[in-house]
Amino acid sequence: AQTVTQSQPEMSVQEAETVTLSCTYDTSENNYYLFWYKQPPSRQMILVIRQEAYKQQNATENRFSVNFQKAAKSFSLKISDSQLGDTAMYFCAFMSRGGGADGLTFGKGTHLIIQP
Amino acid sequence: NAGVTQTPKFQVLKTGQSMTLQCAQDMNHEYMSWYRQDPGMGLRLIHYSVGAGITDQGEVPNGYNVSRSTTEDFPLRLLSAAPSQTSVYFCASSYTGGGVDTQYFGPGTRLTVL
């Protein structure tokens, strides 16, 4: 079974700063996906970014980028030029690419607060 | 496209009552799933389906039933509600062209069992 660990329960930064959220995972599989989901107070789960493990290039989506270190089993999320609307819970998640029938395995989340 | 929709948004039940949480998607996704989210936890998989007529258990299936008669709908039934089932429930769906891909979530149902 896979496990996902987010070691920062809460982080707080000033608006416009850059912040990095940490995520480590444990798996014996070689082919998988990693995701970051955002959950604002509305509780909607919003996909932020997706990384395929076989791709060496780190995924980026506008202000969001990841640092994927496959050997170290690390998958951190960097948010540049942070905005008040980035305040939310952020969940790191793992999914096997071999069918994915077991669904997503989530970490416990990091509560990110952007201060004005 | 409405994406993934869930009804109701909120529900209060008494212990022992039964109810069905509805989930529908209009993206023609084969894969659908149900998760629950408890305070301080990430989401945990309850049941999933890889297509109409096919369902299977996830990590926390006890006390829940599912069926999948159409591609669009995947209801979750609580047979006899218990306070331990107080949680927020999310439905998700995914395209499965080359295996299950990115899952898209509904808005969630907050369930309280008294």
Side-chain angles (χ1 to χ4, degrees):
Chain A
Q2 293 79 23
T3 59
V4 177
T5 302
Q6 294 179 249
S7 58
Q8 305 149 314
E10 186 169 289
M11 297 186 71
S12 180
V13 299
Q14 296 295 123
E15 193 176 7
E17 289 183 346
T18 294
V19 58
T20 299
L21 308 184
S22 301
C23 173
T24 58
Y25 59 95
D26 188 24
T27 183
S28 58
E29 300 187 25
N30 193 48
N31 214 357
Y32 48 87
Y33 293 110
L34 293 163
F35 303 90
W36 280 97
Y37 281 91
K38 171 186 178 181
Q39 187 178 42
S42 67
R43 79 166 180 255
Q44 175 76 49
M45 293 292 288
I46 301 165
L47 176 69
V48 175
I49 203 163
R50 165 184 179 272
Q51 175 79 41
E52 297 180 58
Y54 73 90
K55 289 186 176 179
Q56 293 186 345
Q57 186 173 5
N58 289 328
T60 62
E61 286 289 342
N62 301 315
R63 297 183 295 109
F64 299 87
S65 62
V66 297
N67 183 3
F68 173 49
Q69 302 288 331
K70 190 173 183 179
K73 296 180 182 173
S74 171
F75 183 60
S76 60
L77 174 70
K78 185 171 85 170
I79 306 174
S80 303
D81 186 27
S82 57
Q83 300 174 359
L84 296 178
D86 295 333
T87 293
M89 285 292 294
Y90 286 81
F91 292 96
C92 179
F94 171 101
M95 186 172 74
S96 169
R97 199 164 188 265
D102 290 333
L104 290 155
T105 300
F106 285 87
K108 293 187 176 182
T110 296
H111 184 205
L112 176 63
I113 301 167
I114 309 299
Q115 304 276 9
Chain B
N1 282 357
V4 181
T5 57
Q6 292 183 237
T7 55
K9 285 188 169 53
F10 301 93
Q11 183 71 49
V12 178
L13 293 178
K14 293 182 179 177
T15 297
Q17 287 185 315
S18 63
M19 80 158 293
T20 299
L21 307 185
Q22 301 292 345
C23 174
Q25 52 89 13
D26 61 359
M27 297 175 282
N28 203 31
H29 286 169
E30 290 294 328
Y31 182 91
M32 295 185 75
S33 55
W34 277 101
Y35 293 82
R36 61 177 287 171
Q37 183 180 27
D38 300 305
M41 305 280 290
L43 281 66
R44 292 182 293 167
L45 183 66
I46 304 171
H47 284 285
Y48 65 92
S49 168
V50 297
I54 307 169
T55 64
D56 207 343
Q57 297 180 353
E59 180 185 355
V60 288
N62 291 344
Y64 307 96
N65 269 1
V66 292
S67 59
R68 184 97 178 268
S69 56
T70 68
T71 299
E72 293 78 21
D73 300 297
F74 189 44
L76 178 72
R77 298 182 186 83
L78 280 69
L79 307 173
S80 177
S84 61
Q85 293 178 305
T86 293
S87 190
V88 180
Y89 291 84
F90 289 94
C91 179
S93 74
S94 170
Y95 172 67
T96 54
V100 179
D101 206 302
T102 303
Q103 295 193 39
Y104 295 94
F105 285 84
T109 295
R110 181 177 293 277
L111 175 68
T112 302
V113 182
L114 302 175

